Amino acid sequence: MSVAAATETGQDPIILRVEKLTKHYGSTAALRDVSLGIRRGTIHGLLGENGAGKTTLVGIISGQRTPTSGSIYLDGQPIVNVDVKAMEKAGVFLVTQEPMIIDHITAAENLMLGIWPSSGGFVNWRKLKADAARMLQDTGIDPQSLAGKLDAVARRKLNILRAMFSGGKVIILDEPTAALTVEDRAQLFTFMKELKAQGVTFIFISHYNDEILEICDACSVLRDGALAGGTEDVGNLTSEQLSELVLGRGLVLFQRERRTYNEQRPAVRIRDVRGDGINVSALDLRPGEIVGFTGLPGAGAKELARMIFGLMPVRSGTIALGDSPVQPLPAAPRDAFDMGIAFLSDDRRRDGLVAQMTIGENISLSSLSAVARSGFLKPEAEKVLSDRYFKAMGIKASGPATVVDTLSGGNQQKVCLGRVLATGPRLLMLDEPTRGIDIGVKQDVLRIIDELSLTGVCVIIVSTDTDEIVRAVDRVCIFEAGAIREELSGDEITSERLRQGAKVTAGA
Amino acid sequence: MSQTSATAAKPAAAPNSQDHGPSILGWILHNVVWIWLIALVVLFGMFNEYFFTTFNLQNIMVQATVLGMIGLAVALPLLVAEIDLSLPANLGFSSAIGAMAYSDLGLPWFLAMLIGVGVATLIGLFNGICITKLKMVSLIQTLSMMIILQGALLALTQGRTITNLPQGYVWIGQATIGGWPIMPVIFVVALIGMAILLKNTVLGRSIYAVGGNAVASNSAGIRVDRIKIITYTLAGALAGVAGFLLASWQMAITSNQGSSYLLYAIAAPIIGGVSVFGGRGNVVGVLGGVLLLTVIQVGLAIIAVPSFYVGIIGGVMIFIAVAIDAIRVRYFG
Ligand SMILES: Nc1ncnc2c1ncn2[C@@H]1O[C@H](COP(=O)(O)OP(=O)(O)OP(=O)(O)O)[C@@H](O)[C@H]1O
Ligand SMILES: [Mg+2]
């Protein structure tokens, strides 16, 4: 670092520096000799494919994990043997990739966890409540509601807000936007820019090129645990160049050949779904059709999918699949699977995975009867099934016998997806299927779904990712107040129309 | 200025394997129960040669049988992240019912024994239903069931010890082949049966899944309530068989039969690595925990530790086993 580069205040322009950082998990190297510096008062993007080591790196910086070797300097001072608490005290806050929420305490208490206002060892509850209420105004989250009752978006917001209001000087956000709506994201970015103007430094992890281009000043790319490049000037890059920087190769974006299905008889007929604010009188899907569900949280897109799967109770509602007779909606997920309906939840840690089981055991979990005879598992059959989806999903791990807990976030998402696909459904419903998946694999996933639809499987994709919807679906249902407000198909499906749709909904 | 300038470094070499130090330590910690067991056997043997006699080995096997059966029973609800404290009380109560079906109703001993086991199974089923369908907290529900069953046993026996057990009934507890007791065979059968159940069946896999993450299991199409009810029912049945074996072996049913097993029955699976948070553990571990506790009990009796100290020494030994296990979980998951 040259002295000339120092600012007039005499501060080192590099607020955070890591040198030759290496992290081994057993025999796998998650990080190898990574050295980089983060400039004070910038937003620094950290990019890389699933399993590249991003979470591991920020985990070490924030004191959550210990490096095998290497050193970290904050404000030029070396940091040794610290934990999260000490780093937070030093002003480094991490918003982890997976929500860190305690379910049985209130939103306000979660927000203030570890940073609660106190005097003489006693928590100042009045101030805590007032502060929390101030932070949560405009967010639509009730400070007094139990955190366990909140949806994925709200839970995510709690973690982000905690860091943003912490007064920290380095705030690390590990895929913060993965569970946010377009509006929330815009709000977060405005907030980040405000704090940046006040001198706060950010490390920002995301798989979305547009986000990196919009908000980051500089970026670094990790590949297989090693630093693979970066730039001090993100502004000069195009999205294509960014993809190439991340992947080390050009990227062909997937685009489904949209189909229209006027004459065909529907393969799925859903009627009169009512209950808990949802009111949908009719929804038909043609064989092989892919329909996108979108809308603000609580507008009903997610809820309808969960009701069709038997995860949320309904007052009424029927479904007819193919030539099967009209049936009431399934009462439980098991019934849904038996009918040929599969669903992937958007909250993989809570609702998708058994973390301490292996990849293979997770993949076969919803298809156990298919790999068993009279209650006894057939190991070969199970292995064939899990190997197949392990390969198909391109999961980055040494094999299906790896414990899921040790996988990177994106690879865990692929395991969930593999489990759902392995059931061989007739109606496949995916809630944010590519959340947390890197841009390369995202195209693969959209392609797999596309190919599946060509075999006649009907697909519903619930998503707030407009780009994904534009690329993957034949038709879009925009939800509002528990009903389908508008349907778009063919050339009507554009990012602009979808964003507009969301705004109109927001204004209504 | 910093390494973040626009460069495109080549991906580094493939991950090289690390030193094997941690994995040896990991192996030791994973098998700590067995290592501790062997160490204690050697230790007790050094204090008193009698410890290595065939007779003592047989004694340990018999003692381990009842604890083993009840330990397996306790492990089941633990695996689905619940607990059943009423199992030892269920053991005593159900055996008394069986005995009274013989003495008061005049039923043949075999039928009476089946009635006892059946009652134990139904109590397990009832616990399971309370915990799933009525959403009662298992710790409190089974605690109250324990008190109810202990009280019921006292009321049934009127404080007296039942000793008029028929020949057929006590046969299994007394019979020997070539001098070796046959009762442990039942434990071995149960052990193998449960190992197969947990490892090779859909039910076993579902039990681990539910214990690991009940919400995700439900979404994955597992009927969580049903799985929990089945584990409680199976646990009840195992407690029933354990009750029959204990009565058959002791040729008596006291008015607080089984109660003394409470702590050991819960400690054995946990020492053997069954997680109280569910989803982790196997029968080999339970066996290790059972043998360890039995060796401690028998060993302390043999080396004639004054009875005032048996409690504290045994307690410290269990404490060490649990502490080592905690260290293992901390560092190796
Ligand atoms: N606790 C662990 N034990 C073993 N391996 C681990 C552990 N945590 C991470 N790894 C491995 O380290 C590598 C890097 O993981 P990391 O979570 O840092 O990736 P990431 O870049 O954040 O990916 P993603 O975009 O999917 O979140 C992966 O190969 C992962 O399997
Ligand atoms: Mg990550």
Side-chain angles (χ1 to χ4, degrees):
Chain A
M1 195 78 25
S2 65
V3 181
T7 59
E8 58 272 34
T9 57
Q11 280 178 315
D12 189 339
I14 301 294
I15 185 165
L16 186 80
R17 153 179 299 283
V18 300
E19 246 157 46
K20 293 201 160 303
L21 220 50
T22 295
K23 173 75 181 176
H24 288 282
Y25 290 108
S27 61
T28 54
L31 281 184
R32 280 179 272 149
D33 264 347
V34 173
S35 302
L36 54 86
I38 311 285
R39 280 170 157 275
R40 191 181 300 276
T42 61
I43 300 180
H44 193 108
L46 190 56
L47 315 182
E49 294 170 271
N50 295 132
K54 306 178 296 293
T55 299
T56 307
L57 177 59
V58 295
I60 291 172
I61 293 175
S62 64
Q64 216 186 34
R65 307 179 188 203
T66 43
T68 309
S69 65
S71 35
I72 309 169
Y73 301 89
L74 182 66
D75 273 327
Q77 299 299 314
I79 284 169
V80 270
N81 281 341
V82 284
D83 56 8
V84 175
K85 183 106 188 118
M87 285 312 283
E88 292 197 342
K89 219 161 168 200
V92 179
F93 281 79
L94 168 69
V95 176
T96 53
Q97 183 168 7
E98 309 298 343
M100 299 273 249
I101 294 288
I102 301 175
D103 279 349
H104 58 266
I105 63 178
T106 65
E109 286 159 14
N110 266 292
L111 205 53
M112 295 303 202
L113 216 57
I115 53 170
W116 40 60
S118 62
S119 55
F122 290 94
V123 173
N124 183 344
W125 284 101
R126 185 171 306 178
K127 182 156 173 7
L128 187 153
K129 282 195 182 134
D131 286 355
R134 185 169 50 79
M135 292 187 212
L136 288 175
Q137 64 179 209
D138 309 330
T139 62
I141 302 173
D142 174 9
Q144 293 315 313
S145 66
L146 282 184
K149 297 227 155 67
L150 298 172
D151 64 18
V153 178
R155 290 154 67 84
R156 196 74 192 123
K157 280 200 228 169
L158 287 181
N159 283 162
I160 296 173
L161 286 170
R162 176 180 178 274
M164 299 298 271
F165 280 98
S166 61
K169 55 185 178 186
V170 178
I171 298 177
I172 307 170
L173 302 165
D174 194 352
E175 298 192 30
T177 58
L180 295 185
T181 64
V182 181
E183 266 72 41
D184 291 331
R185 197 178 75 164
Q187 231 178 27
L188 172 67
F189 285 1
T190 314
F191 203 172
M192 282 170 72
K193 285 174 192 155
E194 276 170 26
L195 288 180
K196 176 179 136 180
Q198 294 165 23
V200 176
T201 310
F202 286 92
I203 299 176
F204 180 78
I205 300 177
S206 169
H207 289 295
Y208 296 103
N209 282 354
D210 54 338
E211 296 180 357
I212 302 290
L213 294 174
E214 179 181 343
I215 195 136
C216 291
D217 304 300
C219 73
S220 304
V221 177
L222 290 176
R223 196 176 304 141
D224 292 326
L227 195 67
T231 173
E232 285 290 329
D233 192 3
V234 171
N236 283 340
L237 292 180
T238 63
S239 184
E240 289 74 35
Q241 286 169 324
L242 196 59
S243 299
E244 206 164 328
L245 196 63
V246 172
L247 298 173
R249 59 182 156 86
L251 176 71
V252 184
L253 289 175
F254 173 80
Q255 174 64 57
R256 177 173 165 90
E257 269 185 49
R258 264 183 219 132
R259 302 194 288 166
T260 39
Y261 307 77
N262 294 326
E263 339 48 77
Q264 279 176 25
R265 285 187 55 214
V268 176
R269 280 160 293 150
I270 294 161
R271 293 287 178 276
D272 299 314
V273 183
R274 308 205 201 291
D276 206 12
I278 300 297
N279 187 347
V280 173
S281 30
L283 177 71
D284 287 348
L285 282 86
R286 315 278 158 179
E289 190 178 18
I290 303 186
V291 175
F293 279 12
T294 190
L296 290 175
K302 240 176 242 312
E303 290 79 0
L304 179 60
R306 293 181 90 88
M307 283 174 174
I308 296 171
F309 186 60
L311 263 179
M312 271 176 77
V314 287
R315 261 183 285 118
S316 73
T318 61
I319 186 165
L321 291 156
D323 297 325
S324 315
V326 176
Q327 287 170 284
L329 288 177
R334 181 71 261 155
D335 304 320
F337 279 119
D338 292 344
M339 288 161 71
I341 306 171
F343 172 75
L344 172 74
S345 161
D346 61 338
D347 194 339
R348 59 176 170 258
R349 295 296 295 189
R350 187 158 68 153
D351 216 1
L353 291 168
V354 182
Q356 69 237 46
M357 286 176 54
T358 66
I359 296 172
E361 287 168 339
N362 269 283
I363 287 177
S364 62
L365 196 58
S366 297
S367 322
L368 286 177
S369 53
V371 295
R373 180 174 297 138
S374 45
F376 283 86
L377 294 166
K378 294 186 287 183
E380 325 79 49
E382 190 184 5
K383 190 166 161 12
V384 169
L385 185 82
S386 49
D387 280 356
R388 183 166 152 214
Y389 286 93
F390 178 78
K391 290 212 188 77
M393 305 313 301
I395 295 164
K396 192 173 168 268
S398 50
T402 309
V403 173
V404 162
D405 218 6
T406 66
L407 295 182
S408 77
N411 282 300
Q412 293 183 355
Q413 180 71 6
K414 295 183 215 164
V415 176
C416 291
L417 203 50
R419 168 174 64 73
V420 173
L421 294 179
T423 62
R426 290 199 277 174
L427 169 61
L428 175 64
M429 298 188 291
L430 306 167
D431 193 353
E432 306 287 356
T434 63
R435 166 173 300 168
I437 290 186
D438 69 51
I439 36 173
V441 178
K442 179 172 174 178
Q443 312 309 318
D444 297 340
V445 168
L446 296 183
R447 201 166 289 124
I448 290 171
I449 296 170
D450 181 70
E451 278 160 14
L452 201 64
S453 79
L454 297 182
T455 67
V457 176
C458 301
V459 184
I460 291 173
I461 298 179
V462 184
S463 181
T464 47
D465 179 348
T466 51
D467 177 64
E468 173 172 285
I469 289 191
V470 171
R471 294 186 181 284
V473 307
D474 298 317
R475 179 156 60 105
V476 184
C477 298
I478 300 175
F479 282 75
E480 183 185 294
I484 298 172
R485 189 199 64 196
E486 195 184 355
E487 288 197 17
L488 305 177
S489 57
D491 294 338
E492 297 169 334
I493 308 175
T494 60
S495 301
E496 292 70 43
R497 269 304 282 276
L498 289 172
R499 288 212 189 94
Q500 220 175 26
K503 287 234 180 59
V504 174
T505 314
Chain B
M1 53 153 303
S2 73
Q3 285 86 340
T4 53
S5 52
T7 54
K10 291 273 158 292
N16 55 325
S17 70
Q18 273 289 285
D19 54 308
H20 290 280
S23 60
I24 292 172
L25 184 61
W27 182 87
I28 292 174
L29 288 176
H30 272 291
N31 294 287
V32 67
V33 173
W34 296 99
I35 295 168
W36 193 216
L37 180 65
I38 292 168
L40 285 179
V41 166
V42 172
L43 196 75
F44 285 129
M46 282 183 343
F47 271 100
N48 189 334
E49 280 173 11
Y50 172 77
F51 193 82
F52 285 133
T53 59
T54 316
F55 182 79
N56 188 46
L57 181 63
Q58 291 168 351
N59 182 23
I60 288 177
M61 280 166 59
V62 170
Q63 294 234 11
T65 296
V66 175
L67 180 59
M69 295 298 286
I70 196 78
L72 286 179
V74 169
L76 278 167
L78 287 178
L79 283 175
V80 292
E82 301 282 358
I83 196 165
D84 190 345
L85 298 175
S86 70
L87 287 166
N90 188 350
L91 174 164
F93 174 76
S94 63
S95 66
I97 292 283
M100 293 176 95
Y102 162 80
S103 61
D104 294 13
L105 301 180
L107 293 174
W109 75 265
F110 190 73
L111 202 59
M113 181 273 285
L114 283 184
I115 287 176
V117 175
V119 165
T121 310
L122 287 176
I123 292 170
L125 174 68
F126 179 77
N127 286 340
I129 291 172
C130 288
I131 283 150
T132 53
K133 300 299 176 199
L134 302 181
K135 305 225 179 310
M136 294 170 82
V137 177
S138 59
L139 188 75
I140 303 302
Q141 190 273 338
T142 60
L143 185 67
S144 59
M145 181 57 75
M146 176 185 101
I147 295 167
I148 292 171
L149 293 176
Q150 283 175 345
L153 177 60
L154 197 60
L156 271 183
T157 58
Q158 295 289 304
R160 286 187 293 269
T161 298
I162 302 174
T163 50
N164 60 337
L165 296 167
Q167 275 303 311
Y169 189 96
V170 299
W171 176 80
I172 189 89
Q174 312 302 323
T176 56
I177 295 177
W180 289 81
I182 62 167
M183 197 169 82
V185 172
I186 300 201
F187 175 43
V188 173
V189 169
L191 210 58
I192 293 171
M194 196 154 132
I196 291 172
L197 173 89
L198 289 178
K199 207 164 161 25
N200 299 329
T201 69
V202 172
L203 175 61
R205 182 66 61 76
S206 306
I207 286 174
Y208 282 115
V210 168
N213 185 344
V215 178
S217 296
N218 178 49
S219 300
I222 290 172
R223 296 195 195 276
V224 172
D225 283 359
R226 188 179 297 178
I227 298 295
K228 286 189 178 174
I229 292 173
I230 292 173
T231 59
Y232 269 90
T233 310
L234 280 178
L238 280 171
V241 175
F244 162 59
L245 292 178
L246 181 62
S248 174
W249 173 43
Q250 296 190 334
M251 298 197 279
I253 298 169
T254 64
S255 60
N256 64 355
Q257 181 98 330
S259 299
S260 61
Y261 279 95
L262 179 62
L263 204 65
Y264 285 106
I266 291 167
I270 294 174
I271 289 172
V274 177
S275 165
V276 286
F277 303 111
R280 279 179 215 263
N282 56 48
V283 289
V284 178
V286 177
L287 175 65
V290 167
L291 289 178
L292 183 67
L293 291 183
T294 310
V295 163
I296 291 175
Q297 275 180 322
V298 173
L300 289 179
I302 284 178
I303 65 173
V305 170
S307 59
F308 302 122
Y309 302 109
V310 168
I312 184 167
I313 295 175
V316 167
M317 285 175 175
I318 297 173
F319 182 90
I320 292 171
V322 175
I324 294 174
D325 189 59
I327 294 170
R328 173 180 68 79
V329 172
R330 171 108 164 68
Y331 288 104
F332 297 93

